[in-house]
Structure formats: structure tokens, C-alpha cells
Amino acid sequence: MTKCEWCSSEKIKPVTDKVYWELPDGTKAIEIEGTPAVHCLDCQMTYQTEWITKEIEDQLFLIDTKKLAKIITFEELMEQPRLLKRNYFDFTS
């Protein structure tokens, strides 16, 4: 990615951010610390790319979310053992 998805500026940098995510079953929301993000130096927007959003969504579908703490790091989330090999409910790929 070379441009901001919000303002098209080329003045962007990779950062990490704290995000809040509702679990797929709707039972609770979790805080995910250290999530890869993009920060635009012009419009000051900080956001996750579509790829990171998809990675989080897929992982939450594939793991036992009942075992998740209310606060978890992105790395810890992605290291959780998967119950399925891939997201069979994703028909986009």
C-alpha cells in the first residue's frame, strides 16, 4: 500500500494500534492490542487494511473464542489453535 485509503496521501507509515472487535457469535467484544495499522500523516487517520481485517475475521471464525481473554495481543490472537484449516464460510476467494 502506497497511499492512504481515506485521503490518497502518500505520507503514510505502518504502526500498531488497539482495536475492539465483536466476536462472530455476538457474545462479547474483545480488545486486540498491537494490531498492524496504517497511519496517514496528512489526514491523521489510523486504520487497518482490508487484509488485516480479513485476517482477524477469519481467525475469530476458526478458533474457540470462548477461551479468549477480554484483552489480547494481535500476535496472541493469531497464534490461537484453529479448529478448522480455513474459513469455509468465506466465498470471496
Side-chain angles (χ1 to χ4, degrees), residues 58-71:
D58 283 349
Q59 185 68 350
L60 290 173
F61 271 114
L62 300 173
I63 64 173
D64 183 358
T65 58
K66 291 178 181 77
K67 295 181 180 179
L68 291 179
K70 192 167 182 129
I71 301 173

Side-chain angles (χ1 to χ4, degrees), residues 21-28 56-57 59-62 65:
W21 223 273
E22 184 177 350
L23 298 182
D25 63 5
T27 57
K28 67 179 179 179
I56 293 170
E57 292 283 330
Q59 185 68 350
L60 290 173
F61 271 114
L62 300 173
T65 58

